[in-house]
Amino acid sequence: MYCVVTWDIDAGTRRSVSIEAEAIEACGGRLTCEIYRGVRIVRISSTTDFMLVHEALARVESDHVGLFRYAAWALRSGSPMRSSVGFDRELAREVIVG
């Protein structure tokens, strides 16, 4: 199994490098491939493992309120996308449908 993880760090903060390091560390040494800037595919062993990644990213967000936002979703049919912020569902449908 795999999951997709992406995040946004406030560019105005001087701590952006250390926040990025914490976000990468949240992936916990799992095999990770950055497919393009800011979007990573992470190998996970189960949905429980996915939840561990999600919870680790949530801790990074709570440690850096307003500076760090993320989204993570499992690449498995029917799995929900989990995000620290709401997203525009209509725009998402437009992107997916094309």
Side-chain angles (χ1 to χ4, degrees):
M1 267 181 93
Y2 296 89
C3 68
V4 175
V5 176
T6 187
W7 55 74
D8 180 58
I9 300 169
D10 184 355
T13 181
R14 292 180 305 210
R15 300 181 314 194
S16 62
V17 172
S18 65
I19 294 172
E20 174 108 17
E22 288 179 44
I24 292 169
E25 188 178 312
C27 294
R30 293 165 183 87
L31 179 63
T32 302
C33 174
E34 186 171 17
I35 55 175
Y36 51 90
R37 184 168 166 76
V39 178
R40 292 168 171 78
I41 294 178
V42 181
R43 182 182 287 166
I44 53 175
S45 60
S46 64
T47 53
T48 300
D49 196 25
F50 167 67
M51 290 305 297
L52 293 173
V53 172
H54 169 65
E55 290 168 0
L57 288 168
R59 282 191 298 277
V60 175
E61 180 195 19
S62 67
D63 290 345
H64 304 285
V65 176
L67 301 177
F68 178 81
R69 292 160 302 281
Y70 72 96
W73 59 100
L75 296 176
R76 185 174 175 189
S77 176
S79 295
M81 179 176 157
R82 301 189 184 277
S83 173
S84 61
V85 294
F87 62 97
D88 185 336
R89 291 181 186 274
E90 290 303 314
L91 178 59
R93 277 192 202 93
E94 182 180 323
V95 170
I96 292 167
V97 175

